[in-house]
Amino acid sequence: MSMTDELTLDVQALRAEFPVLGRKVHGDKALVYFDNAATTQTPKAVLDTWVDYFERYNANIHRGLHRLADEATQAYEHSRDTVREFVNAEDVREIIFTRGTTEAINLVAQSWGRSQLVEGDEILISRLEHHSNIVPWQMLAQEKGLTIRVIPVDERGELNMAAYRALFTPKTRLVCVAHVSNALGTVNPVAEMARIAHEHDARILVDGAQAVAHTRVDVQALDADFYAFSGHKLYGPTGVGVLYGRLSLLEEMPPWQGGGEMIKTVSLEEGTRFAEPPHRFEAGTPAIAEVIALERAIRWVTNLHFELLEDWEQRLLKHATERMKGIDGMRIIGEAPHKAAVISFVVEGAHSQDIGLLVDQFGVAIRTGHHCAQPLMHHYGLDATCRASFAAYNTLEEVDYFVDALQRVVTMVRD
């Protein structure tokens, strides 16, 4: 008997843990929140943990000798060990706290990239990437004379793996790829991509922002050199994220920012000796409360059991896809056979922004725009799509309400 046979996901009980889900908008409309790929909502247990820090042991960490400082330091470092276990890193020193996925990727670009890449080196980037995994590399390429080569995507939203293999040359040094596409939901074969990269003596950085809340992540099984994610897409707070880095790489990397906490000694005459990883990369006072609350969010989502979570989100995705295809003129963008619970779509004769604004009047929150993935939008000949993205607390009834509202909106804008 499988775990999913023994256990069930009590969605209604789970929803009760999120105060915002009981809110009414636009008068008497119940909130239907389908913008989870942008930011997930936060359960009360995480909110309480954040408040508890400020009410009971608000203090700076690592240097203080008093009781509050000791408690804050212990909670902060306990969070690091929870993250290590969550992604199955080998060593707690491989876990660096950042402000989010964007800062984590910039850290790699400005530290590893600036110190290891030289003129003529090549970086492979997929066309599915969020701007956060494109722009830092473009900036570095312009500065250092690097070449960026693009992994193509097919009409279904899958990466062309034959083309990926063919892109490697003796100058290829780094692969940058999303674990899950934020715009389409495509789940990329990152373990296979890592194996191919390592066969060519290249490193791989994985943007895991859209993966960690929806599937179990094992950085050792993936064989990722770097893996980045954000707290606010993981039922946690904004302003905090994580960079996992292979320890042997981190030990060779110079600091990105200078200041307190990242040093061993500072001398005006003899210069500065830097701390070992991870503290070398955590200059200044960190987001202490947010890091502690992230630990609680990780425990919360882990307790749901990822097998149940994935099954439920796939049910939502399947139901929504089948019902939405019944709308005249509906075009779903990206139908890879292996995708997360994200539906990106356009409707013939209806502007995406109009759809987003009007379904909001029914209480449904979706995302419209280019989703910080303009190269991907251009691949499909689009400027924008609508995107509905699901989480553990969403229901089939909400999907039905959304599709019915969407049908009414489409009729309205066409009349």
Side-chain angles (χ1 to χ4, degrees):
M1 180 179 291
S2 69
M3 177 178 290
T4 53
D5 293 328
E6 298 172 357
L7 301 171
T8 58
L9 191 67
D10 189 339
V11 179
Q12 291 305 319
L14 188 153
R15 288 176 62 84
E17 300 184 47
F18 292 81
V20 71
L21 296 182
R23 184 182 168 184
K24 303 289 185 180
V25 294
H26 299 299
D28 62 347
K29 303 295 192 302
L31 173 66
V32 175
Y33 188 79
F34 285 171
D35 195 20
N36 296 287
T39 295
T40 50
Q41 296 299 329
T42 309
K44 194 170 186 304
V46 176
L47 300 175
D48 289 346
T49 298
W50 191 85
V51 171
D52 182 61
Y53 164 78
F54 288 107
E55 289 185 340
R56 294 201 311 111
Y57 58 105
N58 177 18
N60 216 322
I61 59 172
H62 293 142
R63 300 297 180 185
L65 298 178
H66 57 80
R67 177 64 179 269
L68 267 61
D70 181 60
E71 290 180 358
T73 299
Q74 288 190 42
Y76 184 91
E77 292 301 333
H78 176 64
S79 295
R80 197 187 306 276
D81 194 57
T82 297
V83 173
R84 181 208 61 76
E85 183 178 5
F86 179 60
V87 299
N88 194 34
E90 185 176 4
D91 194 304
V92 73
R93 293 174 293 174
E94 297 176 317
I95 304 301
I96 299 164
F97 289 119
T98 67
R99 290 183 301 162
T101 307
T102 298
E103 184 173 82
I105 294 171
N106 275 272
L107 190 163
V108 177
Q110 295 302 315
S111 179
W112 184 87
R114 190 183 293 275
S115 64
Q116 298 295 320
L117 300 180
V118 299
E119 184 175 357
D121 283 346
E122 297 175 353
I123 300 173
L124 306 188
I125 294 176
S126 91
R127 192 169 291 278
L128 291 171
E129 298 311 301
H130 188 282
H131 295 166
S132 295
N133 206 17
I134 298 175
V135 178
W137 304 110
Q138 288 180 328
M139 294 169 65
L140 190 67
Q142 184 175 19
E143 174 188 332
K144 296 182 69 72
L146 312 175
T147 298
I148 292 177
R149 296 162 67 88
V150 180
I151 308 165
V153 62
D154 66 19
E155 188 63 25
R156 295 197 304 177
E158 290 186 290
L159 295 182
N160 184 325
M161 292 298 289
Y164 170 65
R165 292 183 181 90
L167 284 172
F168 282 90
T169 76
K171 294 183 178 181
T172 305
R173 299 292 308 284
L174 178 68
V175 174
C176 300
V177 65
H179 196 164
V180 175
S181 165
N182 74 301
L184 304 183
T186 303
V187 180
N188 290 317
V190 292
E192 181 183 359
M193 296 179 77
R195 178 182 58 77
I196 295 168
H198 292 152
E199 287 174 355
H200 292 85
D201 199 28
R203 303 300 182 185
I204 184 167
L205 180 149
V206 181
D207 172 358
Q210 297 295 333
V212 289
H214 308 286
T215 190
R216 196 177 302 279
V217 171
D218 184 332
V219 294
Q220 293 190 69
L222 295 175
D223 205 15
D225 296 296
F226 301 101
Y227 195 99
F229 64 92
S230 299
H232 72 101
K233 300 180 191 293
L234 183 58
Y235 305 99
T238 58
V240 64
V242 170
L243 173 67
Y244 157 81
R246 197 183 298 276
L247 185 59
S248 60
L249 299 178
L250 296 179
E251 289 175 331
E252 297 174 351
M253 289 164 51
W256 173 33
Q257 297 175 318
E261 298 298 332
M262 46 75 67
I263 55 90
K264 285 185 177 179
T265 61
V266 176
S267 168
L268 294 177
E269 292 74 30
E270 299 177 3
T272 298
R273 296 172 58 222
F274 300 117
E276 298 301 315
H279 301 295
R280 178 187 303 174
F281 305 104
E282 295 179 6
T285 298
I288 302 169
E290 287 79 3
V291 167
I292 294 169
L294 174 63
E295 191 274 342
R296 185 65 184 88
I298 287 172
R299 287 195 290 117
W300 184 88
V301 74
T302 302
N303 287 340
L304 292 182
H305 300 288
F306 274 111
E307 293 84 355
L308 297 177
L309 182 61
E310 289 185 74
D311 283 350
W312 179 245
E313 290 183 351
Q314 287 299 309
R315 282 186 64 189
L316 295 170
L317 175 66
K318 182 174 184 293
H319 185 63
T321 301
E322 290 173 351
R323 285 220 53 204
M324 289 171 65
K325 285 185 174 181
I327 297 176
D328 184 46
M330 171 67 62
R331 176 188 174 196
I332 293 177
I333 309 300
E335 293 193 76
H338 191 198
K339 62 180 287 186
V342 174
I343 302 179
S344 200
F345 65 94
V346 294
V347 181
E348 183 180 357
H351 194 283
S352 296
Q353 186 174 6
D354 292 338
I355 291 175
L357 288 169
L358 289 170
V359 296
D360 175 64
Q361 296 302 307
F362 288 89
V364 182
I366 64 170
R367 179 70 48 156
T368 65
H370 54 63
H371 316 299
C372 292
Q374 286 182 307
L376 179 62
M377 294 294 108
H378 296 162
H379 168 76
Y380 287 104
L382 301 169
D383 293 322
T385 68
C386 299
R387 183 186 70 191
S389 49
F390 311 118
Y393 44 62
N394 291 130
T395 68
L396 295 171
E397 291 77 15
E398 286 183 315
V399 169
D400 286 332
Y401 179 80
F402 160 61
V403 178
D404 291 343
L406 181 59
Q407 178 65 78
R408 292 176 64 183
V409 165
V410 170
T411 302
M412 289 166 55
V413 298
R414 285 176 174 168
D415 288 344

